[in-house]
Amino acid sequence: MAASEEHLRRALAEKQASVDAQAETVRDLKSRPDARQAEIDAAVEALKALKVEAGAAARRLQAAISSNTDGASASREAFRQAVVNTLERRLFYIPSFKIYRGVAGLYDYGPPGCAVKSNVLAFWRQHFVLEENMLEVDCPCVTPEIVLKASGHVEKFTDLMVKDEKTGMCYRADHLLKDFCKEKLEKDLTLSSEKAAELRHVLAVLDDLSAEELGAKLKEYGITAPDTKNLLSDPYPFNLMFQTSIGPSGLSPGYMRPETAQGIFVNFKDLYYYNGNKLPFAAAQIGQAFRNEISPRQGLLRVREFTLAEIEHFVDPNDKSHPKFGDVAELEFFMFPREEQLAGKSAQPMVLGEAVSKGIVNNETLGYFIGRVYLFLTLLGIDKERLRFRQHLPNEMAHYAADCWDAEIECSYGWIECVGIADRSAYDLRAHSEKSGVPLVAHEKFPEPREVEKLVIVPSKKELGLAFKGNQKMVVEALEAMSEKEALEMKATLESKGEMDFHICTIGKTVSITKKMVSISMEKKKEHQRVFTPSVIEPSFGIGRIIYCLFEHSFYTRPSKAEDEQLNVFSFPPLVAPIKCTVFPLIKSQKFDDVAKIIAKSLTAAGISHIIDITGTSIGKRYARTDEIGVPLAITVDSTTSVTIRERDSKQQIRISIDEVASVVKEVTDGESTWGDVMWRYPTHSALHTEEDE
């Protein structure tokens, strides 16, 4: 809690205690037959004065809370509503199955939305797949159950859910607790500073709460179903995958994939061969993924079907350097390491090369992709001041992960995770190797045979099964995932003490491992080649989330020429703009219409998306219509030999011959020249007649 707010809560509590004590004094005086009226009147006046002071303290606290929440919240809500209303009205996206009242968490992209999405994905391919010579694949959405059992999704891909005990309506348990805590902090002035601190602590550890702890908090705070106020069930895990069956018999269960990555992992052996049995290499995939969200909200940010673009970069675990790291090492942007988060600090600008050299970022390859993701997002039009890279806290990381960072973008909903960049070590390939029996490994051939000392960890599945029963598999995985240092420390402890405590992240428990349960040794062998399971660096992009944040970052309003209304503008960079330019005959005239058609034909030949508007509406209104869908350039045909080109955000215009239109527009929209470059080469044009109705 901010120190000032805590102080105000304490002051209000003290004033309220004084009011209660004085009220008791007044009641006591009034009940005594020997009390003098003057004494009673003085006590009542003192009570009134204390109430005035308490009221003033309450108003000061309310003002402090409002300055931090209500004003900002109302402003964010109004801005978001303006953006969403524009997006839906101009058909960027709309709720799916709208005529049947829609389905939560499902949306349709309209024509401009499809164009923006297509442009974002095209740039993603150019920026990553082409630049890094990645191998692109396209795998089915329907995935057999055995694949997702191996990956852990069948067992662990869950959220905690509660049900309205009377209506059966389902809610995400953590969302209900989060909403309760936020509302109490923002609106309940009677909260003591201790209670407020408790609620803030609950918000901080929300992701760590077990089902039992979450259920206990819901009961402690008396949280009920939001719609009916009915009692809620205890929280229980709900698997977020859509289940189906493959084939008519129902004997082959499957799921709609929750991510695209597994298709790449199971194809590793063939991709490695295709790449000439060489590491490192990367595979990429763009495709639909599905998550049966319990209670979708926040529009495009939390949906049940969405587009993912994922990269799996396979690398030797002993060499995670990157030959092109120098290209991004000098980049400086907001980074939020775990130490800063735990200390209650905020993200600070940091040079990427320094973050890697200091060990804040685990390795060069992970750092390289963090830098490339930063460039990708900012070139799309994401505001770099509202972009940060946040490192996962220890409790967020899987036990096998070496390091994980999220690219988070700030929008009206707060900081939103849009890209995850993780060093997943060798977990995925090992899991599929074990389940399928097919070794997903790489080879390094030695010029001469080498005598090597190898760590050998052999868990006793029999002993572990007897001790841990259903948790045997996770204990085995944790033992096998130990680093050499951890394994040798365990070996020494087991030899001296016979047992030791060992924390298993996947079950959230510390267990006792005995000497019988695992054999750890270093063995010398002569090898002609090294066989190893590659590590995986995985950047995973939520395309819908990136696009929504881009919509918000690009949106602004400006007054019309008459200043009697606010006009909406999307300032998309030409790279992602849904339509690159518009063509307007200034007035309805056959000769101008003919010129417009000639220009449209040349734009089509140059591969430039455009629309032609010969409606005859005032030119100002036509400008406003196209500004509202983010078209960067507008061509006004007011002559048979030359035209004006207007830039959306500056509203500046140049005059140019008809023959040059397509080449100049292509220069700007392809990023070869800026509008400023073009302004130097061609005469500016005031064209007062084209602005008179704006």
Side-chain angles (χ1 to χ4, degrees), residues 460-473 476 516-517:
S460 171
K461 293 186 179 179
K462 179 182 176 183
E463 293 290 336
L464 292 170
L466 289 171
F468 303 112
K469 297 182 172 57
N471 289 328
Q472 179 221 44
K473 182 185 173 187
V476 169
K516 288 182 179 180
M517 292 177 183

Side-chain angles (χ1 to χ4, degrees), residues 499-516:
E499 65 176 347
M500 73 169 282
D501 290 338
F502 184 55
H503 185 69
I504 313 292
C505 297
T506 47
I507 60 176
K509 290 181 181 177
T510 298
V511 301
S512 180
I513 300 294
T514 66
K515 199 170 181 180
K516 288 182 179 180

Side-chain angles (χ1 to χ4, degrees), residues 479-492:
L479 288 169
E480 290 178 338
M482 285 190 296
S483 67
E484 183 174 312
K485 182 183 176 185
E486 291 170 326
L488 294 178
E489 285 175 359
M490 175 178 280
K491 176 181 170 67

